Amino acid sequence: MASSDPIDLREKDQHVLAAWRLMFEKEYLAEITDLKGMEMSVFGFEIQHEVLARDNFLKTEFHLDPARTLSVGDKVLKEQFDQNGVLARPVVRVVNLSDNYHRTIEELRMRDRDKLLTIDVKMVHAFHPYGWLKTAVYQCKDCDKVTDVPQRRARERESPRVCRACLEKSFEGIETLDLPLTNFHPRPNFRMLADESYYEDVQDVSMHQITYNNDHHLIHCNSNFELIGTLSDDLVGEVEPSTFMRVNGILRVQPIPTRTFAKDTRRLLSIDVISIEPLPIKDGK
């Protein structure tokens, strides 16, 4: 299906886009069509990892760069929703990751950052939801050109340094081959468009590693190691303390909350949750 509103992506992402589109149309079109007329602000659409992995290229990209691959998938799925009259912003939720991704909290290290993983846990605490500025939109005060600047959670807000359109206009008719650009320091001249910027709902949860037998009887809950996870969008408010979950996500490195100076180099591991699956654990206590 061709989109009436083409998705603007970098050239190297076009193959990822095509792979997602083919998978949705081949494997999930019936499910998407069944959602016609549904009105929700955000909808988590589950994708089986086994189905995704049938495309070797998409499987590899999801393994190497899961965040970027999922971002492209969200855009393609939104295109599919629009074409089929589904009035919701979709979020791709990949579930049932293969056993190769199963890890335990105590074995995670800084060298594992940005890797996909699956852990079986007991939820300890669900903190109060909050929002953060995920994409800031700026407008040049001189030419009105609009620029999107992706942000990082729990970091200082970033803004554009120079308007490329104005910079190119400044050099029109000037020979720049031998121009000493080290002496040229353009000043940023932007305003942030708060109403146009994108804010994401998130919620932090804490979790402990669990082990259980083949009959799903709980053997041990290890409270010596605690990991913080971050839920987003449709997952916010969906987790209750003392429940057992399989958490699929991307391991991240965050500044310690108690840092006392801006350039503190100490870091903690956390997980950006991409999907959750309830576990039928039987706790004999």
Side-chain angles (χ1 to χ4, degrees):
M1 292 183 181
S3 172
S4 59
D5 184 17
I7 300 173
D8 183 19
L9 292 174
R10 297 176 301 182
E11 182 177 353
K12 70 177 183 178
D13 291 324
Q14 294 301 319
H15 293 301
V16 180
L17 182 149
W20 273 117
R21 183 176 289 145
L22 180 63
M23 188 202 70
F24 284 131
E25 294 178 354
K26 182 179 180 181
E27 305 288 349
Y28 290 100
L29 185 58
E31 290 186 35
I32 295 173
T33 303
D34 288 342
L35 297 174
K36 183 176 182 179
M38 182 190 67
E39 297 184 15
M40 295 180 64
S41 58
V42 61
F43 180 78
F45 192 91
E46 290 191 352
I47 299 292
Q48 296 293 324
H49 183 251
E50 179 185 8
V51 174
L52 180 150
R54 292 173 189 168
D55 186 309
N56 288 329
F57 174 74
L58 192 57
K59 173 185 175 182
T60 300
E61 290 301 308
F62 180 63
H63 174 78
L64 296 177
D65 193 352
R68 181 63 187 172
T69 303
L70 288 172
S71 177
V72 176
D74 290 342
K75 292 180 173 64
V76 178
L77 187 54
K78 181 62 167 68
E79 172 192 78
Q80 298 290 323
F81 271 33
D82 290 345
Q83 292 176 357
N84 289 279
V86 185
L87 306 179
R89 177 174 62 84
V91 179
V92 173
R93 300 294 182 193
V94 180
V95 296
N96 292 322
L97 271 66
S98 66
D99 292 341
N100 296 332
Y101 294 104
H102 283 226
R103 305 290 297 275
T104 60
I105 294 176
E106 53 264 33
E107 69 179 338
L108 299 178
R109 298 293 183 268
M110 291 291 171
R111 59 178 173 269
D112 298 317
R113 65 181 298 180
D114 298 332
K115 291 184 178 179
L116 267 175
L117 56 90
T118 291
I119 51 176
D120 294 336
V121 300
K122 179 179 181 180
M123 293 297 174
V124 179
H125 187 76
F127 299 92
H128 195 279
Y130 61 96
W132 74 287
L133 178 63
K134 189 171 185 178
T135 304
V137 179
Y138 290 89
Q139 184 179 50
C140 176
K141 294 180 181 180
D142 293 314
C143 71
D144 294 332
K145 181 178 176 60
V146 173
T147 303
D148 293 349
V149 181
Q151 305 294 314
R152 298 180 299 164
R153 193 172 63 250
R155 302 295 200 279
E156 183 177 352
R157 175 163 54 88
E158 297 181 11
S159 58
R161 295 183 178 181
V162 63
C163 175
R164 178 172 293 275
C166 290
L167 184 63
E168 292 176 352
K169 184 177 180 180
S170 299
F171 283 115
E172 284 183 1
I174 300 177
E175 177 58 55
T176 61
L177 182 62
D178 297 319
L179 191 67
L181 295 181
T182 54
N183 297 325
F184 183 75
H185 299 285
R187 298 176 59 184
N189 192 29
F190 293 89
R191 66 169 65 89
M192 179 179 161
L193 304 178
D195 291 340
E196 303 295 330
S197 299
Y198 173 58
Y199 297 83
E200 183 179 61
D201 292 307
V202 292
Q203 182 181 27
D204 294 329
V205 294
S206 60
M207 59 194 83
H208 290 160
Q209 181 70 46
I210 60 171
T211 53
Y212 52 92
N213 60 22
N214 292 334
D215 294 323
H216 288 89
H217 286 282
L218 182 67
I219 297 175
H220 181 59
C221 179
N222 189 349
S223 59
N224 293 326
F225 297 92
E226 184 171 279
L227 184 66
I228 297 296
T230 301
L231 310 173
S232 63
D233 286 324
D234 59 298
L235 298 182
V236 173
E238 295 299 312
V239 168
E240 297 290 338
S242 299
T243 56
F244 300 97
M245 295 284 181
R246 173 162 292 174
V247 175
N248 308 304
I250 306 169
L251 195 66
R252 300 301 194 191
V253 174
Q254 302 289 348
I256 63 172
T258 56
R259 65 185 186 274
T260 56
F261 50 95
K263 295 186 178 181
D264 193 329
T265 58
R266 295 173 295 172
R267 295 293 185 267
L268 293 176
L269 292 174
S270 67
I271 180 171
D272 282 353
V273 180
I274 64 172
S275 63
I276 53 177
E277 305 168 52
L279 291 173
I281 301 298
K282 303 169 187 175
D283 189 351
K285 293 183 180 180

